[in-house]
Amino acid sequence: MSQLLGATEIREIAARLDLTPTKKLGQNFVVDANTCRRIVKAAEVGPHDVALEIGPGLGSLTLALLEIAQSVVAVEIDSRLAAELPATATSHGFGDKPLIIVNQDALTVSELPVSPTVLVANLPYNVSVPVLLRFLELFPSLNGGVVMVQSEVADRLVAAPGSKTYGSPSVKATWWADMSSAGSVGRSIFWPIPNVDSSLVRFVRHAPAGDENLRRATFAVIDAAFAQRRKMLRGALSELFGGSSPASAAIGAAGIDPTIRGEMLELPAYIAIARHLPGFTS
Ligand code: SAM
């Protein structure tokens, strides 16, 4: 018998907990063990990894992580699910593997009891981007991972400059990591079946492009550029630089054409502009 969860058991546990999956918390549970193993493999989880999972739900992916990783730390907002997870792990033969559950909103987590090395998660769709960026920022011990997100969000995370899906998450994520697509996932592997498609995004952390001061300045420039993405950069950044002329001068001094649109630029260009922000010192 597979050690992982299947469709029948998932419904049984949900019925026992009197749990009706809610859209508000993005509760679409994976009912296919092969998909869980595929995700863990794509993340290259190894026996020395401390795996971090956001939103373990009924435990489908958690058990696949426990199969391989040294230990798992899982952040779950729903207390009924958080409370049930240790029993599910034990009844599937993983009682001796360290599993730490943090019953908290992932968007408020600022520390964890262990330093995770890999992030593997089927992220709740409504908070997937802020959760991913937050954990990349707060947990430098995370070397990489794979997240399952809505396909539309996956497209944004891996988009290249100039494409219509390229946006601030695409640029911001590259501050910390190289992002790439790791394939799509059929709707039928979820219960309940969602009305959107899902895809996998892989990330591998690289050396940071600068210190926290530079990151904040750079993200302010990115936010301003994409808030008015149809405008030329000198117009979109005019408020930030105190007028169109100083914005133009700063963008030019960074070696960039001030008439270009922000959606054409990659992270190094934003960093170069941020260094010319009024009051910036590094
Ligand atoms: N990992 C499970 C699976 O693949 O079957 C469940 C994934 S389900 C898409 C998302 C999970 O995230 C749910 O268990 C939900 O309760 C939880 N969740 C939703 N919002 C959350 C938040 N802000 N912080 C932590 N967990 C959250």
Side-chain angles (χ1 to χ4, degrees), residues 25-30 53 55-57 60 76-77 81 105-106 122 124:
L25 292 177
Q27 289 176 336
N28 296 97
F29 303 110
V30 176
E53 185 180 6
S60 313
E76 172 60 59
I77 197 170
L81 295 172
D105 179 346
N122 169 15

Side-chain angles (χ1 to χ4, degrees), residues 10 24-31 36 53-62 75-78 81 104-107 121-127 131 148 190:
I10 282 184
K24 195 174 142 235
L25 292 177
Q27 289 176 336
N28 296 97
F29 303 110
V30 176
V31 295
C36 293
E53 185 180 6
I54 315 285
L58 292 162
S60 313
L61 201 47
T62 322
V75 180
E76 172 60 59
I77 197 170
D78 188 323
L81 295 172
Q104 201 177 327
D105 179 346
L107 286 171
N122 169 15
L123 290 173
Y125 73 98
N126 50 344
V127 291
V131 164
M148 176 147 69
F190 295 99

Side-chain angles (χ1 to χ4, degrees), residues 13-68:
I13 303 174
R16 183 156 42 77
L17 298 179
D18 197 19
L19 179 121
T20 308
T22 73
K23 274 198 168 184
K24 195 174 142 235
L25 292 177
Q27 289 176 336
N28 296 97
F29 303 110
V30 176
V31 295
D32 177 53
N34 287 335
T35 302
C36 293
R37 289 199 174 105
R38 173 186 160 199
I39 296 171
V40 172
K41 195 168 177 213
E44 295 183 2
V45 176
H48 301 296
D49 272 312
V50 177
L52 167 65
E53 185 180 6
I54 315 285
L58 292 162
S60 313
L61 201 47
T62 322
L63 299 190
L65 285 168
L66 287 168
E67 243 182 359
I68 309 284

Side-chain angles (χ1 to χ4, degrees), residues 140-205:
S141 60
L142 282 173
N143 297 317
V146 167
V147 290
M148 176 147 69
V149 292
Q150 222 177 302
S151 297
E152 209 179 285
V153 173
D155 291 346
R156 269 192 275 145
L157 285 170
V158 303
S163 74
K164 67 176 192 299
T165 47
Y166 190 64
S168 70
S170 333
V171 200
K172 286 180 178 175
T174 63
W175 177 271
W176 294 287
D178 296 322
M179 316 295 290
S180 59
S181 169
S184 57
V185 176
R187 293 183 191 193
S188 61
I189 58 109
F190 295 99
W191 172 73
I193 293 178
N195 47 20
V196 292
D197 292 317
S198 297
S199 295
L200 304 177
V201 174
R202 173 145 200 258
F203 66 93
V204 178
R205 188 182 287 275

